[in-house]
Amino acid sequence: EVQLVETGGDLIQPGGSLRLSCAASGFTVSSNYMSWVRQAPGKGLEWVSVIYSGGSTYYAESVKGRFTISRDNSKNTLYLQMNGLRAEDTAVYYCARAAGSSGWFDPWGQGTLVTVSS
Amino acid sequence: DIQMTQSPSSLSASVGDRVTITCRTSQSISTYLNWYQQKPGKAPKLLIYAASSLQSGVPSRFSGSASGTYFTLTISSLQPEDFATYYCQQSYSTPYTFGQGTKLEIK
């Protein structure tokens, strides 16, 4: 079964750092395009970042320079390193497999909550 | 960036109704348009990809269409489990923008 499980969400102070993990099963992360999407409380979906199978990475302007997407092929896991966290980064973070560079997101993980507050 | 204009933002309908949600993009994206359903506390679920292709396992009452920069999601006969929030998303280019969402409520 194809599945994604996110972990790492927490309550963190502004300016802090956090690393989210997304463990995949049923497929190989490194052979796929993988994305992070977030959803602030009561708000819509916002795309955050993508890593292509070849290793190219892209980011939303709102997180560029602060967040880094990466993967560990040996662990079949996707990561999102978040530095310089702000209150507006508070959201549920989902990882999702993308069907190629111009593809749809499926499946999605269950999400992990990041709360940035003092 | 490609802007997405999704309408309506909310919609009240009854079981058995036919409903249509629209999404307009700020530039041509061919058919790189996808639709998702999200229920409270759950992850989004893919319904339609590439504008009109039905994802495996999704009921056939869901359909999508495209005309230029104008895209529609239609539910032919609403069922109780269809009351949820729906999002369009373009996958033509990064940033992969989403529409604002349409909350479908029971009348």
XYZ file of all heavy atoms in Angstrom, chain A residues 33 35 37 39 43-47 50 52 58-61 94 98 100-106 108-111, chain B residues 1 32 34 36 38 41-46 48-50 55 87 89 91-101:
467
model
N 8.583 12.813 -7.657
C 8.554 14.214 -7.289
C 7.746 14.298 -5.984
O 6.638 13.769 -5.905
C 7.868 15.036 -8.366
C 8.619 15.121 -9.683
C 9.020 13.984 -10.372
C 8.923 16.355 -10.240
C 9.702 14.076 -11.576
C 9.595 16.463 -11.454
C 9.978 15.313 -12.109
O 10.653 15.398 -13.302
N 6.336 16.766 -2.652
C 6.031 18.140 -2.268
C 5.602 18.240 -0.817
O 5.188 17.261 -0.206
C 4.895 18.691 -3.137
O 5.335 19.602 -4.102
N 2.903 20.741 1.332
C 1.786 21.678 1.240
C 1.347 21.973 2.671
O 1.319 21.068 3.504
C 0.612 21.070 0.443
C -0.583 22.015 0.433
C 1.048 20.735 -0.984
N -1.407 24.169 5.498
C -2.744 24.727 5.671
C -2.821 25.389 7.034
O -2.817 24.709 8.066
C -3.803 23.636 5.535
C -5.233 24.136 5.562
C -6.218 23.049 5.177
O -6.061 21.873 5.515
N -7.254 23.419 4.431
N -7.815 27.983 7.134
C -7.489 28.584 5.837
C -7.370 27.526 4.749
O -7.561 26.330 4.991
C -6.174 29.373 5.943
C -6.198 30.471 6.990
C -7.230 31.543 6.690
C -7.163 32.677 7.704
N -8.201 33.715 7.435
N -7.035 27.990 3.545
C -6.899 27.094 2.408
C -5.516 26.470 2.316
O -4.663 26.642 3.185
N -5.322 25.749 1.232
C -4.069 25.045 1.007
C -3.033 25.958 0.361
O -3.360 26.738 -0.536
C -4.316 23.835 0.100
C -5.313 22.806 0.636
C -5.680 21.807 -0.454
C -4.754 22.091 1.850
N -1.788 25.824 0.805
C -0.691 26.618 0.248
C 0.466 25.677 -0.071
O 1.009 25.025 0.825
C -0.229 27.693 1.227
C 0.933 28.523 0.701
C 1.526 29.468 1.736
O 1.284 29.290 2.935
O 2.258 30.399 1.324
N 0.859 25.641 -1.332
C 2.021 24.850 -1.719
C 3.283 25.480 -1.137
O 3.446 26.703 -1.154
C 2.121 24.775 -3.239
C 3.361 24.098 -3.712
C 3.600 22.755 -3.753
C 4.544 24.735 -4.186
N 4.865 22.518 -4.233
C 5.470 23.724 -4.500
C 4.925 26.064 -4.367
C 6.730 23.996 -4.989
C 6.187 26.346 -4.862
C 7.075 25.305 -5.171
N 8.856 21.655 -3.536
C 8.899 20.400 -4.278
C 10.359 20.009 -4.490
O 11.223 20.884 -4.622
C 8.164 20.499 -5.630
C 8.848 21.494 -6.568
C 8.040 19.129 -6.300
N 12.362 17.397 -7.126
C 12.205 16.520 -8.265
C 13.060 15.274 -8.090
O 14.000 15.263 -7.294
C 12.595 17.247 -9.551
C 11.639 18.327 -9.991
C 11.959 19.164 -11.059
C 10.415 18.532 -9.361
C 11.092 20.160 -11.485
C 9.539 19.520 -9.776
C 9.888 20.326 -10.838
O 9.023 21.307 -11.262
N 12.363 23.553 -5.501
C 11.683 24.823 -5.710
C 10.874 25.147 -4.454
O 10.405 24.240 -3.764
C 10.772 24.753 -6.937
C 11.530 24.465 -8.207
C 11.752 23.155 -8.626
C 12.064 25.507 -8.966
C 12.473 22.881 -9.762
C 12.787 25.240 -10.123
C 12.994 23.915 -10.509
O 13.719 23.654 -11.641
N 10.702 26.460 -4.223
C 10.045 26.899 -3.001
C 9.038 28.012 -3.278
O 9.208 28.796 -4.218
C 11.086 27.426 -2.003
C 12.103 26.397 -1.592
C 13.293 26.246 -2.301
C 11.865 25.554 -0.504
C 14.224 25.280 -1.936
C 12.795 24.588 -0.134
C 13.960 24.453 -0.859
O 14.884 23.497 -0.490
N 8.044 28.104 -2.413
C 7.162 29.262 -2.414
C 7.972 30.462 -1.947
O 8.894 30.333 -1.116
C 5.975 29.026 -1.480
N 7.613 31.632 -2.455
C 8.341 32.849 -2.101
C 8.309 33.093 -0.594
O 9.278 33.600 -0.025
C 7.727 34.033 -2.840
C 8.646 35.229 -2.988
C 9.912 34.925 -3.762
O 9.857 34.177 -4.761
O 10.979 35.429 -3.343
N 1.499 18.995 5.183
C 1.282 17.722 4.518
C 2.412 17.456 3.530
O 2.864 18.375 2.839
C -0.015 17.742 3.707
C -1.287 17.946 4.483
C -1.899 19.197 4.544
C -1.923 16.886 5.123
C -3.091 19.387 5.230
C -3.115 17.058 5.815
C -3.686 18.316 5.862
O -4.875 18.492 6.541
N 3.969 13.860 -6.007
C 3.501 14.537 -7.215
C 3.711 13.623 -8.412
O 4.733 12.949 -8.516
C 4.244 15.849 -7.415
N 4.963 13.542 -11.349
C 5.829 14.213 -12.298
C 5.896 15.705 -12.055
O 5.279 16.234 -11.141
N 6.630 16.404 -12.912
C 6.850 17.836 -12.703
C 5.594 18.658 -12.945
O 5.474 19.764 -12.440
C 7.959 18.331 -13.629
O 7.582 18.164 -14.986
N 4.678 18.134 -13.679
C 3.427 18.850 -13.938
C 2.248 18.009 -13.540
O 1.215 17.993 -14.204
C 3.327 19.207 -15.424
O 4.341 20.090 -15.793
N 2.403 17.341 -12.435
C 1.387 16.385 -12.033
C 0.640 16.766 -10.779
O 0.946 17.734 -10.098
N -0.335 15.973 -10.478
C -1.217 16.134 -9.353
C -0.589 15.501 -8.120
O 0.362 14.738 -8.198
C -2.534 15.435 -9.699
C -2.314 14.087 -10.285
C -2.280 12.877 -9.644
C -2.045 13.788 -11.678
N -2.008 11.854 -10.522
C -1.862 12.375 -11.780
C -1.936 14.555 -12.831
C -1.591 11.740 -12.990
C -1.665 13.924 -14.040
C -1.498 12.530 -14.115
N -1.174 15.819 -6.960
C -0.664 15.319 -5.694
C -1.514 14.140 -5.221
O -2.694 14.279 -4.937
C -0.710 16.417 -4.623
C 0.173 17.600 -4.932
C -0.236 18.886 -4.637
C 1.419 17.429 -5.511
C 0.579 19.982 -4.916
C 2.243 18.515 -5.791
C 1.808 19.795 -5.492
N -0.853 12.994 -5.124
C -1.537 11.802 -4.644
C -0.534 10.691 -4.426
O 0.263 10.414 -5.336
C -2.582 11.317 -5.664
C -3.335 10.082 -5.172
O -4.155 10.220 -4.245
O -3.063 8.990 -5.697
N -1.501 11.804 -0.160
C -1.088 12.784 0.837
C -0.886 12.063 2.169
O -1.531 11.053 2.437
C -2.170 13.850 1.046
C -2.499 14.678 -0.148
C -2.954 14.258 -1.372
C -2.435 16.109 -0.225
N -3.173 15.335 -2.198
C -2.870 16.482 -1.529
C -2.070 17.118 0.674
C -2.931 17.821 -1.950
C -2.135 18.441 0.261
C -2.557 18.790 -1.036
N -0.018 12.626 2.990
C 0.087 12.129 4.349
C -1.059 12.688 5.194
O -1.881 13.470 4.702
N -1.071 12.309 6.452
C -2.158 12.739 7.341
C -1.926 14.137 7.903
O -2.848 14.755 8.451
C -2.325 11.735 8.505
C -1.412 11.956 9.707
C 0.055 11.607 9.448
O 0.433 11.072 8.395
N 0.905 11.898 10.433
N -0.708 14.652 7.760
C -0.394 16.006 8.222
C 0.218 16.024 9.611
O -0.012 15.134 10.432
N 3.554 34.410 -11.103
C 2.793 33.313 -10.549
C 1.408 33.234 -11.210
O 0.833 34.255 -11.595
C 2.602 33.478 -9.046
C 3.911 33.461 -8.276
O 4.973 33.330 -8.921
O 3.853 33.594 -7.045
N -3.431 21.287 -17.091
C -2.727 20.984 -15.850
C -3.506 21.516 -14.656
O -3.021 22.349 -13.873
C -1.312 21.549 -15.886
C -0.441 20.897 -16.926
C -0.098 21.570 -18.097
C 0.046 19.611 -16.744
C 0.690 20.975 -19.065
C 0.843 19.003 -17.695
C 1.156 19.687 -18.852
O 1.949 19.092 -19.796
N -6.126 20.301 -11.385
C -6.533 19.167 -10.570
C -7.539 19.619 -9.515
O -7.534 20.783 -9.116
C -5.300 18.553 -9.912
C -4.160 18.371 -10.892
O -4.294 17.673 -11.908
N -3.037 19.025 -10.633
N -9.403 18.612 -5.692
C -9.288 17.848 -4.454
C -10.512 18.085 -3.584
O -11.120 19.164 -3.624
C -8.039 18.269 -3.664
C -6.745 18.116 -4.436
C -6.282 19.132 -5.249
C -6.005 16.939 -4.368
C -5.112 18.996 -5.978
C -4.829 16.794 -5.088
C -4.397 17.826 -5.892
O -3.235 17.685 -6.608
N -11.638 17.926 0.513
C -11.104 17.843 1.869
C -12.235 17.889 2.883
O -13.077 18.780 2.847
C -10.112 18.979 2.155
C -9.411 18.821 3.500
C -8.412 19.916 3.802
O -8.603 21.065 3.420
N -7.332 19.575 4.489
N -10.472 18.004 9.330
C -9.487 17.210 10.047
C -8.792 16.154 9.227
O -8.006 15.366 9.778
N -9.060 16.135 7.926
C -8.468 15.119 7.055
C -7.591 15.752 5.976
O -7.712 16.939 5.675
C -9.571 14.297 6.370
C -10.479 13.553 7.346
C -9.735 12.475 8.098
C -10.675 11.641 8.950
N -9.946 10.587 9.723
N -6.727 14.938 5.400
C -5.900 15.393 4.291
C -6.756 15.514 3.029
O -7.773 14.832 2.889
C -4.759 14.416 4.047
N -6.356 16.382 2.119
C -7.053 16.459 0.822
C -6.972 15.119 0.090
O -6.026 14.355 0.258
C -6.284 17.547 0.071
C -5.671 18.383 1.142
C -5.304 17.405 2.233
N -7.987 14.897 -0.747
C -8.079 13.672 -1.544
C -8.230 14.064 -3.007
O -9.066 14.913 -3.345
C -9.283 12.852 -1.093
C -9.617 11.654 -1.954
C -10.951 11.061 -1.529
C -11.435 9.987 -2.493
N -12.771 9.472 -2.127
N -7.421 13.465 -3.860
C -7.489 13.765 -5.287
C -8.768 13.205 -5.888
O -9.076 12.027 -5.711
C -6.269 13.161 -5.990
C -6.209 13.321 -7.512
C -5.998 14.794 -7.887
C -5.097 12.455 -8.099
N -10.026 14.643 -9.384
C -9.887 14.799 -10.825
C -8.478 15.299 -11.108
O -8.012 16.226 -10.447
C -10.899 15.834 -11.381
C -12.339 15.424 -11.092
C -10.660 16.059 -12.873
C -12.868 14.290 -11.924
N -7.809 14.709 -12.093
C -6.500 15.191 -12.506
C -6.506 15.481 -14.005
O -7.348 14.951 -14.733
C -5.387 14.198 -12.137
C -5.497 12.847 -12.803
C -4.855 12.579 -14.004
C -6.256 11.830 -12.223
C -4.958 11.343 -14.611
C -6.370 10.590 -12.823
C -5.715 10.352 -14.008
O -5.826 9.125 -14.617
N -5.580 16.317 -14.401
C -5.495 16.717 -15.816
C -6.837 17.192 -16.337
O -7.265 16.832 -17.444
C -4.938 15.566 -16.660
N -9.908 10.154 -10.896
C -8.980 9.333 -10.131
C -9.632 7.990 -9.801
O -10.836 7.904 -9.543
C -8.566 10.057 -8.839
C -7.752 9.252 -7.859
C -6.351 8.916 -8.349
O -6.024 9.097 -9.527
N -5.500 8.439 -7.462
N -11.019 22.080 -3.634
C -9.959 22.976 -4.092
C -9.523 22.599 -5.505
O -9.382 21.408 -5.823
C -8.724 22.864 -3.199
C -8.905 23.333 -1.777
C -9.267 22.453 -0.768
C -8.699 24.676 -1.440
C -9.435 22.879 0.540
C -8.858 25.116 -0.135
C -9.220 24.211 0.844
O -9.373 24.650 2.143
N -6.275 23.198 -8.246
C -4.824 23.408 -8.148
C -4.219 23.310 -9.532
O -4.544 22.394 -10.287
C -4.197 22.347 -7.248
C -2.671 22.386 -7.141
C -2.012 21.130 -7.661
O -2.628 20.071 -7.768
N -0.729 21.226 -7.982
N -0.935 22.609 -11.826
C 0.357 21.933 -11.765
C 1.160 22.217 -13.041
O 2.015 21.433 -13.441
C 0.172 20.434 -11.551
O -0.712 19.882 -12.508
N 0.892 23.367 -13.648
C 1.592 23.758 -14.871
C 2.993 24.264 -14.578
O 3.947 23.981 -15.307
C 0.769 24.832 -15.584
C 1.351 25.328 -16.880
C 1.233 24.573 -18.050
C 2.010 26.545 -16.947
C 1.754 25.026 -19.247
C 2.532 27.009 -18.136
C 2.398 26.246 -19.284
O 2.923 26.703 -20.460
N 3.098 25.057 -13.505
C 4.401 25.606 -13.151
C 4.434 25.973 -11.679
O 3.401 26.254 -11.073
C 4.719 26.848 -13.999
O 3.809 27.889 -13.717
N 5.665 25.982 -11.128
C 5.812 26.420 -9.747
C 5.709 27.938 -9.675
O 6.114 28.629 -10.620
C 7.168 25.983 -9.160
O 8.226 26.544 -9.946
C 7.292 24.461 -9.134
N 5.150 28.487 -8.601
C 4.532 27.812 -7.458
C 3.197 27.167 -7.837
O 2.384 27.782 -8.537
C 4.343 28.925 -6.443
C 4.189 30.163 -7.281
C 5.081 29.964 -8.465
N 2.988 25.945 -7.365
C 1.783 25.191 -7.705
C 0.580 25.713 -6.915
O 0.212 25.169 -5.901
C 1.993 23.715 -7.397
C 3.076 23.055 -8.224
C 4.069 22.288 -7.612
C 3.121 23.182 -9.600
C 5.052 21.667 -8.359
C 4.105 22.568 -10.357
C 5.074 21.821 -9.733
O 6.060 21.206 -10.471
N -0.058 26.727 -7.396
C -1.085 27.436 -6.650
C -2.408 26.683 -6.578
O -2.788 25.962 -7.503
C -1.317 28.815 -7.280
O -1.221 28.713 -8.716
C -0.270 29.800 -6.813
N -3.098 26.920 -5.464
C -4.426 26.372 -5.211
C -5.467 27.482 -5.287
O -5.173 28.660 -5.028
C -4.505 25.768 -3.808
C -3.751 24.473 -3.634
C -2.403 24.488 -3.306
C -4.383 23.255 -3.795
C -1.693 23.304 -3.144
C -3.690 22.055 -3.626
C -2.346 22.087 -3.303
N -6.684 27.094 -5.618
C -7.802 28.008 -5.481
C -8.116 28.218 -4.003
O -7.595 27.524 -3.132
N -9.007 29.187 -3.739
C -9.305 29.570 -2.369
C -10.186 28.554 -1.644
O -10.335 28.603 -0.422
C -9.995 30.936 -2.355
C -9.181 32.032 -3.027
C -9.485 32.183 -4.521
O -9.758 31.212 -5.237
N -9.428 33.417 -4.985
N -10.792 27.642 -2.394
C -11.645 26.617 -1.812
C -13.121 26.958 -1.920
O -13.513 28.135 -1.919
